[in-house]
Amino acid sequence: MGLGNTIRKARNALLASHRLAPHSLVSALGQTLGLPHDSSKLRVALAVPGIQARAKLLAENLSKDDLSRIVGPHGLLAPKWSLRSSTERSEELSRIFEEYMNEIIHEIFVALSTQTSTVPVASWRSEWANSAVTEQHVRQLWGTGDVLRQERASWSHLGVGFSVIDNAVSLDLVQRARTELGALASDGALTDESKAACNPGSRRLVLDFSTEENRNRIPPALLELCNSLACLPAALQETAAAMESAMPGTLLIPSLRLHPSVMAATYGPGSYYSPHLDKYAGGSHGFLNSRVLTVLLYLNPEWSHGDGGELRLFSAQKSSQNANGIGQVPSLLGSSTVDHSASTAATAYEEDSYVDIPPLAGRIVMFRSRDVWHGIRELSSERWALTLWVLTDLES
């Protein structure tokens, strides 16, 4: 299996910008390539062309080893592989290992791209955001466990980092934005309906307002909302810094960066979103992405109870390795420095411990992307929301 165009670009980016690459990902890649633990980033980058040969060698050695390590109900390969030849097992393991190493390279490429395409949140400020954000919002988002449970919100007993700003924007602005989104949908600007099992029926549109040219393409009400959402992270960060200075150790504040881009998404009748985390980068091996804060603005002036579409928040529990082998690949390859938490592992949240948050017009909800399990209840009518993901570097 050769390197695809994306992987080839990622490899070249790593060679060109290896000093900026996240240490944890480069270290994991070096370990899988069999390099010494203290290898420099440049040495790892130079070794990338050897991925295919390394995957093949490791697979050949393991396929001759004790089958219980790799085949069976809890192994990397399904039980049927015990009936295959050593060569066939070796080829399948080689494919899996190469795919894993290529995904690490891709995540390094994404991290490097994030560094160059994002800005400090302080670049986006407004009086509206400063007045909307309070110390309570900060405590609910980034307070330590005891601080979270001392809050008196309806979701406080879940012990998750979550907060709400009600009536954040006017109903007139919400309605104008909905009209603009309806026009964009009629013009075919949205994606086709999702066929994914986890969120069937959803459609979306990315509103990138990072340049003047892009901003000129966005209708006025939507652009006003995008600008407003982009200013919230700076207000949160500044309020949190002042609180932490007064009460050290009571908050867990990440460093924040912003890519000026918002996703507009709609769910129609019968649509839903299964419980998940927003930290999952995709692919087959559950790598951590750079999202740390999710900000949602609901645009549903006609929503009423019974329409569905509530955001369901869950209590989290410690998850075990899931049964399909994810998590075993890095172990077999000798890599132990990367997060591999699958986004939709059903064992990682308390199914019976939840709170439903109605998607009311003008309501903003904010939560920690990496550890708040959430889903969307099945709908009987249309639901719209804007989503801003606030990022950090992968070393944070």
Side-chain angles (χ1 to χ4, degrees):
M1 187 195 311
L3 293 175
N5 287 336
T6 300
I7 300 303
R8 188 172 292 107
K9 289 179 182 177
R11 180 192 65 191
N12 292 339
L14 177 57
L15 281 169
S17 307
H18 59 274
R19 291 182 182 86
L20 300 176
H23 173 76
S24 59
L25 287 171
V26 176
S27 177
L29 181 59
Q31 290 173 31
T32 61
L33 287 167
L35 299 178
H37 181 72
D38 58 353
S39 295
S40 69
K41 292 180 179 180
L42 178 58
R43 182 175 180 183
V44 175
L46 291 171
V48 164
I51 278 179
Q52 190 174 46
R54 174 67 176 170
K56 183 177 180 180
L57 175 63
L58 289 169
E60 288 175 348
N61 292 338
L62 279 171
S63 63
K64 300 172 185 176
D65 202 354
D66 181 2
L67 284 186
S68 64
R69 290 189 63 196
I70 56 174
V71 178
H74 303 294
L76 183 60
L77 301 181
K80 67 179 182 180
W81 284 93
S82 63
L83 304 176
R84 303 288 184 90
S85 68
S86 173
T87 299
E88 290 175 312
R89 287 194 297 272
S90 176
E91 290 175 351
E92 178 64 7
L93 286 172
S94 180
R95 182 194 67 78
I96 293 172
F97 292 163
E98 186 176 353
E99 175 187 74
Y100 176 81
M101 288 186 273
N102 284 343
E103 282 193 25
I104 296 180
I105 296 174
H106 180 261
E107 291 310 311
I108 292 173
F109 178 63
V110 170
L112 290 171
S113 299
T114 297
Q115 292 296 320
T116 57
S117 65
T118 61
V119 296
V121 294
S123 303
W124 289 79
R125 301 169 181 267
S126 72
E127 288 301 318
W128 170 85
N130 291 339
S131 63
V133 169
T134 67
E135 291 187 355
Q136 182 181 49
H137 296 130
V138 172
R139 284 195 302 271
Q140 290 174 346
L141 280 173
W142 294 317
T144 57
D146 289 342
V147 172
L148 287 177
R149 289 182 172 84
Q150 288 170 7
E151 291 293 314
R152 296 187 177 181
S154 62
W155 58 85
S156 297
H157 65 284
L158 299 178
V160 299
F162 179 88
S163 193
V164 171
I165 307 175
D166 274 327
N167 302 311
V169 299
S170 70
L171 290 180
D172 174 68
L173 182 55
V174 167
Q175 189 60 65
R176 286 189 285 125
R178 273 294 298 270
T179 300
E180 291 172 353
L181 286 168
L184 288 168
S186 297
D187 290 342
L190 276 65
T191 62
D192 293 335
E193 289 189 355
S194 169
K195 305 298 183 184
C198 61
N199 63 339
S202 64
R203 295 186 298 152
R204 65 186 184 276
L205 167 68
V206 175
L207 302 169
D208 186 315
F209 51 103
S210 59
T211 66
E212 188 66 29
E213 181 180 1
N214 288 349
R215 287 192 288 273
N216 289 336
R217 297 194 188 106
I218 300 175
L222 284 170
L223 181 59
E224 181 177 344
L225 292 176
C226 288
N227 288 333
S228 296
L229 292 178
C231 293
L232 284 172
L236 287 165
Q237 185 169 264
E238 290 174 6
T239 303
M243 293 170 64
E244 177 65 13
S245 178
M247 298 179 293
T250 60
L251 299 173
L252 303 172
I253 312 169
S255 62
L256 302 178
R257 293 187 66 83
L258 180 71
H259 176 65
S261 176
V262 162
M263 181 184 74
T266 182
Y267 290 75
S271 299
Y272 61 87
Y273 205 145
S274 301
H276 63 284
L277 296 172
D278 282 354
K279 71 174 183 176
Y280 185 46
S284 303
H285 300 284
F287 287 101
L288 186 72
N289 64 30
S290 57
R291 297 172 184 168
V292 289
L293 180 66
T294 300
V295 181
L296 290 166
L297 169 61
Y298 293 120
L299 305 174
N300 307 298
E302 298 178 357
W303 186 91
S304 62
H305 290 282
D307 288 345
E310 293 93 342
L311 179 72
R312 177 162 287 186
L313 305 176
F314 295 89
S315 291
Q317 67 180 22
K318 292 184 178 180
S319 61
S320 57
Q321 300 283 5
N322 46 14
N324 64 3
I326 294 176
Q328 295 189 30
V329 176
S331 176
L332 292 171
L333 292 176
S335 173
S336 59
T337 59
V338 179
D339 185 296
H340 298 86
S341 302
S343 172
T344 55
T347 59
Y349 63 92
E350 298 283 356
E351 186 175 356
D352 297 324
S353 179
Y354 62 83
V355 170
D356 289 335
I357 307 296
L360 302 178
R363 166 174 280 176
I364 290 176
V365 302
M366 306 175 288
F367 56 88
R368 298 201 305 234
S369 307
R370 293 185 176 182
D371 51 28
V372 175
W373 285 88
H374 61 287
I376 299 174
R377 297 190 66 195
E378 186 172 342
L379 289 105
S380 60
S381 63
E382 191 176 39
R383 170 194 189 271
W384 281 92
L386 300 181
T387 304
L388 171 73
W389 282 292
V390 187
L391 312 177
T392 190
D393 62 79
L394 288 176
E395 305 294 3
S396 297

